[in-house]
Amino acid sequence: MTAREVAMSTTAQPATTSDLHVGTPTPSEVSAMERAFALAARGPAHGPNPRVGCVLLAPDGTRLGEGWHRGAGTAHAEVAALVDARERGHDVHGATAVVTLEPCNHTGRTGPCSEALLAAGVARVVAAVGDPNPAAAGGAQRLAAAGVEVVTGVLADQGEVVLGAWLPAVRRARPFVTLKIAASLDGRVAAPDGTSRWITSAVARQHAHDLRAEVDAIVVGTGTALLDDPSLTARTASGELHHHQPLRVVVGHRDVPAGARLRGPGGELVPVRTHDPAVVLEALHAREVRHVLVEGGPVLAAAFLAAGLVDEVHAYVAPVLLGAGRAAIGDLGVATIGDALRLVPREVIPLGPDVLVVATPQGGPSARGTQRPTMRSAQTPSTDEER
């Protein structure tokens, strides 16, 4: 589909106020939005702030400047684009700002983008997704009230994809949860003697390390921390630590030993003294954590699944058969096949000899009801508790 066809098929959705102008994006604005998505993807996937890109257009469609948000504490995309335009010697008075997320309207680590655009004399703003953050929203209304023409909802579906885990995390006021499983073909995460290194290949393990580098926190139970002594770091293919290291969260009441690898180089160690997954997420939300990776063990995985608090499953499956040993998931309380927790496959990725299946729970996070099972309530032998 051409940019013109996309523009003609796009229905701009106004923000929730009658002050906003309803309009249709021009072909050059649609093209600029696609460029803004590419710019946004350059920003970090981790952190409390969203990935945002911005392109400034002259009335004739010429691109005056562009920018993206490079992480918490840095200039927002709109301000970065304004700076870029000035450095190029362009006057942005009367320009159009094409931005992937509604300009913010609050003062945090930086000032409001809505005010920066108004001060620069921008005449029109085209946005993909409205800001769901109640502390930051209202930029579209502020701009419209000052006489700026505002068009929203442009390529919104693509905009939501770019925002990734940040968007549902802010909408739900809790971190987005990815459950990671690395198992044999028959669903085992360890042999009967407890050995588990390595079920999956180096290719799959590196992919998992790259995923760690994109999340804000890795969560394990104290049983896994004590039994496996993991480091829970994100490493490059050469074995070096990634520049970003997620928080290392240990759930349960037992202490992490002084000499544990979790106390070595890597992200901050965060003990959470509970067995309730909802309490874990509440504590992490308070720290502005947007994306959590639950890595183990089977009881912790089962507790998050049974509580309806898993948004996505990453299952690394190796063509290995063990026949016995620890299962990937603990008891979910499923007595009959009709009660099985079913997943919807979203993507299947070959990784060397292994396969990664990305799936989401059927019916969404609330499919398992409102009960809040805890790790201790799972029907699992006490010798495996909190693994």
Side-chain angles (χ1 to χ4, degrees):
M1 183 179 289
T2 66
R4 180 178 295 276
E5 289 170 333
V6 172
M8 296 301 293
S9 66
T10 301
T11 302
Q13 299 296 326
T16 56
T17 173
S18 59
D19 292 333
L20 299 188
H21 298 277
V22 179
T24 300
T26 66
S28 61
E29 289 169 348
V30 172
S31 178
M33 185 65 79
E34 291 170 340
R35 171 61 178 168
F37 291 149
L39 292 169
R42 296 182 182 181
H46 56 82
N49 291 357
R51 283 173 155 176
V52 182
C54 178
V55 175
L56 296 173
L57 299 177
D60 65 358
T62 302
R63 294 185 186 178
L64 303 176
E66 59 185 31
W68 68 95
H69 183 53
R70 299 171 187 261
T74 67
H76 287 194
E78 298 92 325
V79 174
L82 292 170
V83 170
D84 182 52
R86 283 197 295 270
E87 291 177 347
R88 294 171 184 265
H90 296 310
D91 180 6
V92 300
H93 189 82
T96 294
V98 179
V99 62
T100 59
L101 182 68
E102 174 190 359
C104 69
N105 195 48
H106 82 305
T107 299
R109 297 179 179 93
T110 60
C113 293
S114 57
E115 297 298 333
L117 293 173
L118 288 174
V122 167
R124 179 174 163 93
V125 170
V126 176
V129 180
D131 195 330
N133 187 347
Q141 291 91 335
R142 174 69 185 94
L143 290 161
V148 174
E149 186 177 5
V150 178
V151 179
T152 62
V154 177
L155 303 183
D157 289 345
Q158 291 176 237
E160 293 199 0
V161 171
V162 171
L163 287 166
W166 180 89
L167 188 62
V170 173
R171 283 175 172 169
R172 299 172 188 158
R174 71 156 175 84
F176 184 91
V177 176
T178 296
L179 172 62
K180 176 215 160 185
I181 301 167
S184 64
L185 199 59
D186 52 350
R188 307 291 176 175
V189 295
D193 66 353
T195 56
S196 60
R197 298 179 182 177
W198 299 102
I199 290 176
T200 55
S201 67
V203 178
R205 296 197 301 273
Q206 186 55 52
H207 188 279
H209 273 281
D210 293 340
L211 175 60
R212 284 180 174 183
E214 293 185 353
V215 303
D216 300 307
I218 303 174
V219 179
V220 298
T222 53
T224 293
L226 296 172
L227 179 67
D228 295 341
D229 190 25
S231 62
L232 300 185
T233 54
R235 294 187 177 273
T236 65
S238 63
E240 302 293 324
L241 291 175
H242 271 281
H243 70 279
H244 164 69
Q245 292 296 314
L247 300 176
R248 297 180 285 188
V249 181
V250 179
V251 177
H253 296 291
R254 289 178 285 177
D255 293 328
V256 175
R261 296 171 68 197
L262 281 170
R263 296 190 182 276
E268 178 187 350
L269 176 60
V270 180
V272 182
R273 308 288 187 173
T274 184
H275 291 116
D276 189 333
V279 174
V280 175
L281 296 186
E282 288 167 7
L284 295 178
H285 176 67
R287 298 181 65 127
E288 294 189 297
V289 167
R290 306 301 188 205
H291 193 177
V292 163
L293 182 63
V294 175
E295 288 214 1
V299 177
L300 183 70
F304 270 85
L305 285 166
L309 292 174
V310 172
D311 301 302
E312 183 177 75
V313 175
H314 281 218
Y316 296 86
V317 182
V320 175
L321 296 173
L322 291 174
R326 233 183 337 156
I329 304 295
D331 189 352
L332 289 172
V334 175
T336 181
I337 194 67
D339 293 336
L341 197 165
R342 298 190 180 273
L343 307 179
V344 179
R346 301 298 183 190
E347 196 172 7
V348 178
I349 305 171
L351 295 171
D354 307 322
V355 172
L356 168 63
V357 179
V358 179
T360 52
Q362 196 172 71
S366 61
R368 300 296 289 179
T370 57
Q371 63 177 355
R372 291 170 60 169
T374 67
M375 293 169 62
R376 199 171 289 280
S377 69
Q379 299 301 309
T380 305
S382 60
T383 55
D384 192 38
E385 183 181 320
E386 300 180 26
R387 287 184 183 176

Coordinates of all heavy atoms in Angstrom, one line a residue, residues 43-51 71-72 109 163-170 174-178 208-220 232-234 243-250 266-270 272 280-281 283-295:
G43 N 15.5 4.1 20.5 CA 15.6 4.4 21.9 C 15.6 3.0 22.7 O 15.3 2.0 22.2
P44 N 15.9 3.1 24.0 CA 16.0 1.9 24.8 C 14.6 1.3 25.0 O 13.7 2.0 25.3 CB 16.7 2.3 26.1 CG 16.3 3.8 26.2 CD 16.3 4.3 24.7
A45 N 14.5 -0.1 24.9 CA 13.3 -0.8 25.2 C 13.0 -0.8 26.7 O 11.9 -0.9 27.2 CB 13.3 -2.2 24.7
H46 N 14.0 -0.7 27.6 CA 13.9 -0.7 29.0 C 13.7 0.7 29.6 O 13.9 1.7 28.8 CB 15.1 -1.4 29.6 CG 16.4 -0.7 29.3 ND1 16.9 0.4 29.9 CD2 17.3 -1.0 28.3 CE1 18.0 0.8 29.3 NE2 18.3 -0.1 28.4
G47 N 13.4 0.8 30.8 CA 13.3 2.1 31.5 C 11.8 2.5 31.6 O 10.9 1.9 31.0
P48 N 11.6 3.5 32.5 CA 10.2 4.0 32.8 C 9.6 4.8 31.7 O 8.4 4.9 31.7 CB 10.4 4.9 34.0 CG 11.8 5.4 33.9 CD 12.6 4.3 33.2
N49 N 10.4 5.3 30.7 CA 9.8 6.1 29.6 C 9.6 5.4 28.4 O 10.2 4.4 28.1 CB 10.8 7.3 29.4 CG 10.8 8.3 30.5 OD1 10.1 8.1 31.5 ND2 11.6 9.3 30.4
P50 N 8.6 5.8 27.5 CA 8.3 5.1 26.3 C 9.3 5.5 25.2 O 10.0 6.5 25.2 CB 6.9 5.7 25.9 CG 7.0 7.1 26.5 CD 7.7 7.0 27.8
R51 N 9.4 4.6 24.2 CA 10.1 4.9 22.9 C 9.2 5.8 22.1 O 8.1 5.5 21.8 CB 10.3 3.6 22.2 CG 11.4 2.7 22.7 CD 11.4 1.4 21.9 NE 12.7 0.7 21.9 CZ 13.0 -0.4 21.4 NH1 12.0 -1.1 20.9 NH2 14.2 -1.0 21.5
G71 N 16.2 7.9 26.5 CA 16.2 7.3 27.8 C 15.8 8.3 28.9 O 15.9 9.5 28.6
A72 N 15.5 7.8 30.0 CA 15.1 8.7 31.2 C 16.1 9.7 31.4 O 17.3 9.5 31.5 CB 14.8 7.8 32.4
R109 N 11.4 14.8 34.7 CA 12.8 15.1 34.6 C 13.1 16.2 33.6 O 14.1 16.9 33.6 CB 13.6 13.8 34.2 CG 13.5 12.7 35.3 CD 14.2 11.5 34.8 NE 14.2 10.4 35.8 CZ 13.3 9.4 35.8 NH1 12.3 9.4 34.9 NH2 13.3 8.5 36.7
L163 N 5.6 1.1 20.9 CA 5.6 1.3 22.3 C 5.8 0.1 23.2 O 6.2 0.1 24.3 CB 4.3 2.0 22.8 CG 4.1 3.5 22.3 CD1 2.7 3.9 22.5 CD2 5.1 4.4 23.1
G164 N 5.5 -1.1 22.6 CA 5.8 -2.4 23.2 C 5.2 -2.5 24.6 O 4.1 -2.2 24.8
A165 N 6.0 -3.1 25.5 CA 5.5 -3.4 26.9 C 5.1 -2.2 27.7 O 4.3 -2.3 28.6 CB 6.5 -4.2 27.6
W166 N 5.7 -1.0 27.3 CA 5.4 0.2 28.1 C 4.0 0.5 28.1 O 3.4 0.9 29.1 CB 6.2 1.4 27.5 CG 6.0 2.7 28.2 CD1 6.7 3.1 29.3 CD2 5.0 3.7 27.9 NE1 6.2 4.4 29.6 CE2 5.2 4.7 28.8 CE3 4.0 3.7 26.9 CZ2 4.3 5.8 28.8 CZ3 3.2 4.9 26.9 CH2 3.4 5.9 27.8
L167 N 3.3 0.4 26.9 CA 1.9 0.8 26.8 C 1.0 0.0 27.7 O 0.2 0.6 28.5 CB 1.5 0.7 25.3 CG 0.1 1.4 25.0 CD1 0.1 2.8 25.3 CD2 -0.3 1.1 23.6
P168 N 0.9 -1.3 27.6 CA 0.0 -2.0 28.6 C 0.4 -1.9 30.0 O -0.4 -1.9 30.9 CB 0.2 -3.5 28.1 CG 1.4 -3.6 27.3 CD 1.6 -2.2 26.7
A169 N 1.7 -1.7 30.3 CA 2.2 -1.5 31.7 C 1.6 -0.2 32.3 O 1.1 -0.2 33.4 CB 3.7 -1.5 31.7
V170 N 1.6 0.8 31.5 CA 1.0 2.1 32.0 C -0.5 2.0 32.0 O -1.1 2.5 33.0 CB 1.5 3.3 31.1 CG1 0.8 4.6 31.5 CG2 3.0 3.4 31.2
R174 N 0.7 -1.7 36.2 CA 1.5 -2.8 36.7 C 2.4 -3.2 35.6 O 2.2 -3.0 34.4 CB 0.7 -4.0 37.1 CG 0.0 -4.8 35.9 CD -0.3 -6.2 36.4 NE -1.0 -7.0 35.4 CZ -0.4 -7.6 34.3 NH1 0.9 -7.5 34.1 NH2 -1.2 -8.3 33.5
P175 N 3.6 -3.8 35.9 CA 4.5 -4.2 34.8 C 3.9 -5.2 33.9 O 3.1 -6.1 34.3 CB 5.7 -4.8 35.6 CG 5.6 -4.2 37.0 CD 4.1 -4.0 37.2
F176 N 4.3 -5.2 32.6 CA 4.1 -6.2 31.7 C 4.9 -7.4 32.0 O 6.1 -7.3 32.3 CB 4.4 -5.7 30.3 CG 4.1 -6.7 29.1 CD1 2.9 -6.6 28.5 CD2 5.1 -7.6 28.7 CE1 2.6 -7.5 27.4 CE2 4.8 -8.5 27.7 CZ 3.5 -8.4 27.0
V177 N 4.3 -8.6 32.0 CA 5.0 -9.8 32.5 C 5.3 -10.8 31.3 O 4.3 -11.2 30.7 CB 4.2 -10.5 33.6 CG1 4.9 -11.8 34.0 CG2 4.1 -9.6 34.8
T178 N 6.5 -11.1 31.1 CA 6.9 -12.2 30.2 C 7.4 -13.3 31.0 O 8.3 -13.2 31.8 CB 8.0 -11.7 29.2 OG1 7.5 -10.6 28.4 CG2 8.5 -12.8 28.3
A208 N 18.1 -15.4 24.7 CA 17.5 -15.1 26.1 C 18.3 -14.0 26.8 O 17.7 -13.1 27.5 CB 17.5 -16.3 26.9
H209 N 19.6 -13.9 26.6 CA 20.4 -12.8 27.2 C 20.0 -11.5 26.6 O 19.9 -10.5 27.2 CB 21.9 -13.1 27.0 CG 22.5 -13.9 28.1 ND1 22.8 -13.4 29.3 CD2 22.8 -15.2 28.2 CE1 23.3 -14.3 30.1 NE2 23.3 -15.5 29.4
D210 N 19.8 -11.5 25.3 CA 19.4 -10.2 24.6 C 18.0 -9.8 25.1 O 17.8 -8.6 25.2 CB 19.3 -10.5 23.1 CG 20.7 -10.7 22.5 OD1 21.7 -10.3 23.1 OD2 20.8 -11.2 21.4
L211 N 17.1 -10.7 25.4 CA 15.8 -10.4 26.0 C 16.0 -9.8 27.4 O 15.4 -8.8 27.7 CB 14.9 -11.6 26.0 CG 13.6 -11.4 26.7 CD1 12.7 -10.4 26.0 CD2 12.8 -12.8 26.8
R212 N 16.9 -10.3 28.2 CA 17.2 -9.8 29.5 C 17.6 -8.3 29.4 O 17.3 -7.5 30.2 CB 18.3 -10.6 30.2 CG 17.9 -11.9 30.7 CD 19.0 -12.6 31.4 NE 18.7 -13.9 32.1 CZ 19.5 -14.6 32.7 NH1 20.8 -14.3 32.8 NH2 19.1 -15.7 33.3
A213 N 18.4 -8.0 28.3 CA 18.9 -6.7 28.2 C 17.8 -5.7 27.8 O 18.1 -4.4 27.9 CB 20.0 -6.6 27.1
E214 N 16.6 -6.1 27.5 CA 15.5 -5.3 27.1 C 14.5 -5.1 28.2 O 13.6 -4.3 28.1 CB 14.8 -5.8 25.9 CG 15.7 -5.7 24.6 CD 14.9 -6.2 23.4 OE1 13.8 -6.6 23.5 OE2 15.5 -6.1 22.3
V215 N 14.6 -5.9 29.3 CA 13.6 -5.8 30.4 C 14.2 -5.0 31.6 O 15.4 -4.7 31.6 CB 13.2 -7.2 30.9 CG1 12.6 -8.0 29.7 CG2 14.3 -7.9 31.6
D216 N 13.3 -4.6 32.5 CA 13.6 -3.8 33.6 C 14.0 -4.7 34.8 O 14.7 -4.3 35.7 CB 12.5 -2.9 34.0 CG 12.2 -1.9 32.9 OD1 13.1 -1.2 32.4 OD2 11.0 -1.9 32.5
A217 N 13.4 -5.9 34.9 CA 13.7 -6.7 36.1 C 13.5 -8.2 35.7 O 12.7 -8.6 34.8 CB 12.7 -6.4 37.2
I218 N 14.3 -9.0 36.3 CA 14.2 -10.5 36.2 C 13.8 -11.0 37.5 O 14.3 -10.6 38.6 CB 15.6 -11.2 35.8 CG1 16.1 -10.6 34.5 CG2 15.4 -12.7 35.7 CD1 17.5 -11.1 34.2
V219 N 12.8 -11.9 37.5 CA 12.2 -12.4 38.8 C 12.4 -13.9 38.9 O 12.1 -14.6 38.0 CB 10.7 -12.0 38.9 CG1 10.1 -12.6 40.2 CG2 10.5 -10.5 38.8
V220 N 12.9 -14.3 40.0 CA 13.0 -15.8 40.4 C 12.6 -16.0 41.8 O 12.5 -15.0 42.6 CB 14.5 -16.3 40.2 CG1 14.9 -16.2 38.8 CG2 15.4 -15.6 41.1
L232 N 21.8 -14.1 36.8 CA 20.7 -13.3 36.3 C 21.3 -12.0 35.7 O 20.7 -10.9 35.9 CB 19.7 -13.0 37.3 CG 19.0 -14.2 38.0 CD1 17.9 -13.7 38.9 CD2 18.4 -15.1 36.9
T233 N 22.3 -12.1 34.9 CA 22.9 -10.9 34.2 C 22.5 -11.0 32.7 O 22.2 -12.1 32.2 CB 24.4 -10.9 34.4 OG1 25.0 -12.1 33.9 CG2 24.8 -10.6 35.8
A234 N 22.6 -9.9 32.0 CA 22.5 -9.9 30.6 C 23.8 -9.7 30.0 O 24.5 -8.8 30.3 CB 21.6 -8.7 30.2
H243 N 25.4 -3.1 28.7 CA 25.4 -1.8 29.4 C 24.2 -1.6 30.3 O 24.3 -0.9 31.3 CB 25.5 -0.6 28.4 CG 24.2 -0.4 27.6 ND1 23.9 -1.1 26.5 CD2 23.2 0.5 27.8 CE1 22.7 -0.7 26.1 NE2 22.3 0.2 26.8
H244 N 23.1 -2.3 30.0 CA 21.9 -2.2 30.8 C 21.8 -3.6 31.5 O 21.8 -4.6 30.9 CB 20.7 -1.9 30.0 CG 19.4 -2.3 30.8 ND1 19.0 -1.6 31.9 CD2 18.5 -3.3 30.6 CE1 17.9 -2.1 32.4 NE2 17.5 -3.1 31.6
Q245 N 21.7 -3.5 32.9 CA 21.5 -4.7 33.7 C 20.2 -4.6 34.4 O 20.0 -3.6 35.2 CB 22.6 -5.0 34.6 CG 23.9 -5.3 34.0 CD 23.9 -6.6 33.2 OE1 23.4 -7.6 33.8 NE2 24.3 -6.7 32.0
P246 N 19.2 -5.5 34.2 CA 17.9 -5.4 34.9 C 18.1 -5.7 36.4 O 19.0 -6.3 36.9 CB 17.1 -6.5 34.2 CG 18.1 -7.5 33.7 CD 19.3 -6.7 33.3
L247 N 17.1 -5.2 37.1 CA 17.0 -5.6 38.6 C 16.9 -7.1 38.7 O 16.3 -7.8 37.9 CB 15.8 -4.9 39.2 CG 15.6 -3.4 39.2 CD1 14.3 -3.0 39.8 CD2 16.7 -2.8 39.9
R248 N 17.5 -7.6 39.8 CA 17.5 -9.0 40.0 C 16.6 -9.2 41.2 O 17.0 -8.9 42.4 CB 18.9 -9.6 40.3 CG 19.7 -9.5 39.0 CD 21.1 -10.0 39.2 NE 22.0 -9.1 40.0 CZ 23.3 -9.3 40.1 NH1 23.9 -10.3 39.6 NH2 24.0 -8.4 40.9
V249 N 15.4 -9.7 41.0 CA 14.3 -9.7 42.0 C 14.2 -11.2 42.5 O 14.0 -12.1 41.7 CB 13.0 -9.2 41.5 CG1 11.9 -9.3 42.5 CG2 13.2 -7.8 40.9
V250 N 14.3 -11.4 43.8 CA 14.1 -12.7 44.4 C 12.9 -12.7 45.3 O 12.8 -11.9 46.2 CB 15.4 -13.1 45.2 CG1 15.2 -14.5 45.8 CG2 16.6 -13.1 44.3
G266 N 26.3 -7.0 38.2 CA 25.0 -7.1 37.6 C 24.1 -6.1 38.1 O 24.5 -5.1 38.8
G267 N 22.8 -6.3 37.9 CA 21.8 -5.4 38.4 C 21.6 -5.4 39.9 O 22.1 -6.4 40.6
E268 N 20.9 -4.4 40.4 CA 20.6 -4.4 41.8 C 19.8 -5.6 42.3 O 18.9 -6.1 41.6 CB 19.8 -3.1 42.1 CG 19.4 -3.0 43.6 CD 18.5 -1.8 43.9 OE1 18.3 -1.0 42.9 OE2 18.0 -1.7 45.0
L269 N 20.2 -6.2 43.4 CA 19.5 -7.3 44.0 C 18.3 -6.8 44.8 O 18.5 -5.9 45.7 CB 20.4 -8.1 44.9 CG 19.7 -9.3 45.7 CD1 19.1 -10.3 44.7 CD2 20.8 -10.0 46.6
V270 N 17.1 -7.2 44.5 CA 15.9 -6.7 45.2 C 15.1 -7.9 45.8 O 14.4 -8.6 45.1 CB 15.0 -5.9 44.2 CG1 13.7 -5.4 44.9 CG2 15.7 -4.8 43.5
V272 N 12.0 -9.5 47.6 CA 10.6 -9.2 47.8 C 10.0 -10.2 48.7 O 9.8 -11.4 48.3 CB 9.8 -9.0 46.5 CG1 8.3 -8.6 46.8 CG2 10.4 -8.0 45.6
V280 N 4.3 -8.7 44.3 CA 5.6 -8.5 43.6 C 5.5 -7.4 42.6 O 6.3 -6.5 42.5 CB 6.0 -9.8 43.0 CG1 7.3 -9.6 42.1 CG2 6.3 -10.9 44.0
L281 N 4.4 -7.5 41.8 CA 4.2 -6.5 40.7 C 3.9 -5.1 41.3 O 4.3 -4.1 40.7 CB 3.1 -6.9 39.8 CG 3.4 -8.2 39.0 CD1 2.3 -8.5 38.0 CD2 4.7 -8.2 38.3
A283 N 5.1 -3.9 44.1 CA 6.4 -3.4 44.5 C 7.2 -2.9 43.4 O 7.9 -1.8 43.4 CB 7.2 -4.4 45.3
L284 N 7.2 -3.6 42.3 CA 8.0 -3.2 41.1 C 7.4 -2.0 40.4 O 8.1 -1.2 39.8 CB 8.2 -4.4 40.2 CG 9.0 -5.6 40.8 CD1 9.1 -6.7 39.8 CD2 10.4 -5.1 41.1
H285 N 6.1 -2.0 40.3 CA 5.4 -0.8 39.7 C 5.8 0.5 40.5 O 6.0 1.5 39.9 CB 3.9 -1.0 39.8 CG 3.1 0.2 39.3 ND1 3.1 0.6 37.9 CD2 2.3 1.1 39.9 CE1 2.4 1.7 37.8 NE2 1.9 2.0 39.0
A286 N 5.9 0.4 41.8 CA 6.3 1.5 42.6 C 7.7 2.0 42.2 O 8.0 3.2 42.5 CB 6.2 1.2 44.1
R287 N 8.5 1.1 41.6 CA 9.9 1.5 41.2 C 9.9 1.9 39.7 O 11.0 2.0 39.1 CB 10.8 0.3 41.5 CG 11.0 0.0 42.9 CD 11.9 -1.2 43.1 NE 13.3 -0.8 42.7 CZ 14.4 -0.9 43.5 NH1 14.3 -1.4 44.7 NH2 15.6 -0.6 43.1
E288 N 8.7 2.1 39.1 CA 8.6 2.4 37.7 C 9.1 1.3 36.8 O 9.6 1.6 35.7 CB 9.3 3.7 37.4 CG 8.6 4.9 38.0 CD 9.2 6.3 37.5 OE1 10.4 6.5 37.7 OE2 8.4 7.1 37.0
V289 N 9.0 0.1 37.2 CA 9.4 -1.0 36.3 C 8.2 -1.3 35.4 O 7.1 -1.4 35.8 CB 9.7 -2.3 37.2 CG1 9.7 -3.5 36.3 CG2 10.9 -2.1 38.0
R290 N 8.6 -1.3 34.1 CA 7.6 -1.5 33.0 C 7.5 -3.0 32.5 O 6.5 -3.4 32.1 CB 7.8 -0.6 31.9 CG 7.9 0.9 32.2 CD 6.7 1.4 32.9 NE 6.7 2.9 33.1 CZ 6.1 3.5 34.0 NH1 5.3 2.9 34.9 NH2 6.1 4.8 34.1
H291 N 8.6 -3.6 32.5 CA 8.7 -5.0 31.9 C 9.4 -5.9 32.8 O 10.6 -5.7 33.1 CB 9.4 -4.9 30.5 CG 9.2 -6.1 29.6 ND1 9.6 -6.2 28.3 CD2 8.6 -7.3 29.9 CE1 9.3 -7.4 27.9 NE2 8.7 -8.1 28.8
V292 N 8.8 -7.0 33.1 CA 9.3 -8.0 34.0 C 9.5 -9.3 33.3 O 8.6 -9.7 32.5 CB 8.4 -8.2 35.3 CG1 8.7 -9.5 36.0 CG2 8.5 -7.0 36.2
L293 N 10.6 -10.0 33.5 CA 10.9 -11.3 33.0 C 10.9 -12.3 34.1 O 11.8 -12.3 34.9 CB 12.2 -11.3 32.2 CG 12.6 -12.6 31.5 CD1 11.6 -13.0 30.4 CD2 14.0 -12.5 30.9
V294 N 9.9 -13.2 34.2 CA 9.8 -14.2 35.2 C 10.6 -15.4 34.6 O 10.2 -16.0 33.6 CB 8.4 -14.6 35.5 CG1 8.3 -15.8 36.5 CG2 7.7 -13.4 36.1
E295 N 11.6 -15.8 35.3 CA 12.5 -16.9 34.8 C 12.4 -18.2 35.6 O 12.9 -19.2 35.2 CB 14.0 -16.4 34.8 CG 14.2 -15.4 33.7 CD 15.6 -15.6 33.1 OE1 16.4 -16.5 33.5 OE2 15.9 -14.8 32.2

